[in-house]
Amino acid sequence: DITDYIPHHPGGEIVKFCAGRDGTDLMESYHPTVGQMKALVTLRKYYIGELKDAPEEPDNSFFLAVRERCDARLQEIGWGRHFFEFISVTEVFATIALYLYGSFAVAYQGSYFWALMVGILTARLGFFMHMGNHRAMSSNKYINVVIEKVMDLIGGSSKIWTHEHAVAHHLTPNQLWTDNDCSIAYPWLRFHPGLPWKWYHPIQAPFTVLAMTVGTAKWYISDIVDHLKGHVGSQSFFVTSYDWTILLGFKALYFLLHIYLPAVNHGWQFALTAACIVFAVSSHYLENVFIVNHIQDNLVPEDSLHWAEKQVIGSADWSVGSHFWNWWSGGLNHQIVHHLFPSVSHWCYPILAPIV
C-alpha cells in the first residue's frame, strides 16, 4: 500500500500508474540500476502480503544486462538521465511563448503563415509533452508535470493522454485490445494485423492520409466524451471536479484563441480555414513521425515474454543514430530505447541505441 508514500515519491504521482496491477515494468524501466535498489529498500516498508497464485516472473536477464550497460555508458561520458535538462526545458518554454505569439498573430493579423507555424509548434509541443509525461524532461518532478500539462494547452487532455499512452500503450505495445493505438479508427481503418478485414480496407491508404489530417481536431471532442464515459479504450479512470475544471477551462481557452478571436477579427471563413491549417499541419507532423513505430505486421509480441522483450519486438526504429531526426521527432525515431527507458532524456537516445 503506497498511499502514504505517493507525496514523497521523487518522480511524483507517476507511481500511481502501478495502482492495481503488476508494476514490475514501471519499476525497472523508470529507475537506473542503483536507483531501483534504493526504491526496493523503500518499498519494503509498504509490504502488505503476497498475491495468491501469482504467475512466475519471465526471465529478465536481457533487461538487466542492457540497463546496466546503458547506465555505465552514460556514467562513462559524464551524462545523467537528464543531462540536457537546461536545453530541454528552455526549448519547451520558448516554444510555448512562440506558440502563443503565433496564435495571437493569426487572431489579430489574419496571418496564414502563422497558422502554418502554429501547426508546427503544436506538434513540437506535443513531443515535449510526451517526454514530460514520462518524467524525462527534467529531474524536477514539478517541471515535468507542468510540461505534461502542455497537452491541455494545445487542445488535448493530459489525463486522457496519460491513460492511453503511458499506461495502455507503453505497458502492452502493439497488443490488440490493450494498446489503444492498435484499433484507432477501426472499423473505418485497419492498422493492426489482428483486426478483421472489411471489404474496403484494401483501398484505405488514401483515406488514411485524409483521416490523419484531422487527428488533433479529434482530441477536442473525444476528450470530453471520454471524461463523460470514465474510460478510454482499454483503460478506466476516475474523474474529479478538478479534472473537469482543467478540461473545460483549457478547451474554452483553445476555442477562444483559435476560433473565436480569429472569427471576430477576420470572419468565420478565415477562422475555420486557419484552424484547419493548424489541425492538418500538426496532425501530419505528429502522426507521420509515430505511426510507423509500432503499427506493422511483424511487431506483435507474445504474452509470455518479459515486458522488456515485448518492447523490443513491438517497436520499430528509423534513422537510428541521427541527432537531427532525434531532435525533429522528439526522440521517437529511437522508439525501442524510448520504450525500454522512458524516463531518460531523448537527447541520450543516439548514444544508447547502439548498445540496445
Side-chain angles (χ1 to χ4, degrees), residues 49-115:
E50 299 288 332
L51 287 173
K52 183 179 179 181
D53 300 325
E56 183 178 347
E57 287 292 330
D59 179 20
N60 66 348
S61 56
F62 158 70
F63 178 74
L64 296 181
V66 75
R67 183 178 63 179
E68 183 178 356
R69 294 182 195 179
C70 286
D71 287 344
R73 177 58 177 157
L74 292 178
Q75 185 176 10
E76 177 188 352
I77 62 177
W79 291 16
R81 288 192 160 205
H82 303 98
F83 182 67
F84 288 93
E85 179 175 352
F86 179 77
I87 295 175
S88 298
V89 175
T90 300
E91 186 179 9
V92 171
F93 288 100
T95 305
I96 291 174
L98 199 57
Y99 168 84
L100 293 174
Y101 174 83
S103 299
F104 282 106
V106 173
Y108 289 101
Q109 299 174 16
S111 171
Y112 285 116
F113 168 77
W114 274 107

Side-chain angles (χ1 to χ4, degrees), residues 209-278:
V209 176
L210 292 174
M212 289 168 64
T213 304
V214 298
T216 53
K218 171 184 170 293
W219 295 344
Y220 198 82
I221 303 299
S222 63
D223 292 337
I224 298 175
V225 174
D226 293 334
H227 272 67
L228 288 170
K229 294 187 302 182
H231 72 86
V232 55
S234 63
Q235 299 300 313
S236 299
F237 49 85
F238 183 73
V239 182
T240 65
S241 57
Y242 170 79
D243 295 327
W244 277 113
T245 301
I246 292 294
L247 179 77
L248 298 179
F250 275 102
K251 295 295 186 188
L253 175 63
Y254 192 86
F255 181 82
L256 177 71
L257 279 178
H258 298 288
I259 304 294
Y260 181 75
L261 289 178
V264 167
N265 293 311
H266 305 286
W268 283 100
Q269 181 177 349
F270 169 80
L272 295 177
T273 303
C276 286
I277 292 174
V278 172

Side-chain angles (χ1 to χ4, degrees), residues 112-168:
Y112 285 116
F113 168 77
W114 274 107
L116 172 66
M117 292 303 298
V118 169
I120 295 173
L121 294 166
T122 298
R124 295 297 304 163
L125 290 173
F127 294 134
F128 299 150
M129 172 281 305
H130 169 237
M131 297 308 291
N133 178 266
H134 287 297
R135 308 312 189 250
M137 294 298 282
S138 172
S139 55
N140 185 303
K141 62 182 178 182
Y142 301 108
I143 292 177
N144 282 317
V145 170
V146 170
I147 295 174
E148 177 186 58
K149 294 300 182 186
V150 168
M151 184 63 171
D152 301 279
L153 176 66
I154 61 176
S157 166
S158 56
K159 184 179 183 71
I160 297 296
W161 168 264
T162 294
H163 286 84
E164 278 215 288
H165 182 78
V167 181

